[in-house]
Amino acid sequence: MGFFSDFKASLMKGDVLSLATAVVIGGAFGKIVGSAVDDVIMPIVGLLTGGIDFTQKFVTLDGNSYETLAAAKAAGAAVITYGNLVQAIINFIIIAFFIFVVLRAAEKAKKKEEVAPAAPAGPTQEELLTQIRDLLKK
């Protein structure tokens, strides 16, 4: 039973629980950010770029030209899909900006909590005992 009790004790440490909570919240936050990118921001980017679908941009290595990426893959041509890289870079920049905005808002909220003035501290126990001693001496 020593192994299982040690395992339970390590799981109940604050660090492991904090990490587990962060992973779950991170997964949920990833879905929110992914939806914001795919459903809100990328259609706007598509509108600004004239409806270009970057994922369909490719270069064939066999020298032939194909109308679509699917046709090139069906023909068995070796292709470099540079559009996927461009799309991934755009997604990364958008996601990084989105996370930056959220973290910045969290830092501002945290600073507001820290700015709250602390209650004035009363005399310490030693100070009170010193005052009582001095009064008793008089």
Side-chain angles (χ1 to χ4, degrees):
M1 287 308 256
F3 175 79
F4 290 111
S5 62
D6 289 345
F7 181 67
K8 179 181 175 185
S10 72
L11 284 180
M12 294 313 218
K13 286 184 181 176
D15 295 341
V16 174
L17 293 176
S18 296
L19 179 61
T21 303
V23 168
V24 170
I25 290 176
F29 185 70
K31 289 182 180 183
I32 292 170
V33 171
S35 176
V37 169
D38 294 338
D39 301 332
V40 177
I41 296 172
M42 286 312 292
I44 295 170
V45 170
L47 183 65
L48 295 174
T49 60
I52 296 174
D53 183 8
F54 290 107
T55 59
Q56 296 300 314
K57 299 295 182 184
F58 65 96
V59 173
T60 58
L61 299 177
D62 64 359
N64 297 329
S65 63
Y66 302 92
E67 286 198 26
T68 64
L69 178 60
K73 287 185 176 183
V79 293
I80 296 176
T81 54
Y82 68 90
N84 287 336
L85 177 63
V86 171
Q87 185 73 32
I89 291 170
I90 290 171
N91 286 350
F92 173 77
I93 291 169
I94 293 168
I95 289 169
F97 177 74
F98 197 89
I99 291 172
F100 169 75
V101 169
V102 169
L103 290 177
R104 189 170 182 197
E107 284 296 321
K108 284 186 179 182
K110 189 176 182 182
K111 285 181 183 177
K112 285 182 182 177
E113 290 176 5
E114 291 174 0
V115 171
T124 64
Q125 185 176 3
E126 288 81 17
E127 292 171 341
L128 288 173
L129 289 172
T130 304
Q131 289 175 2
I132 292 171
R133 182 195 66 201
D134 292 343
L135 288 172
L136 289 173
K137 281 185 180 178
K138 290 181 183 178

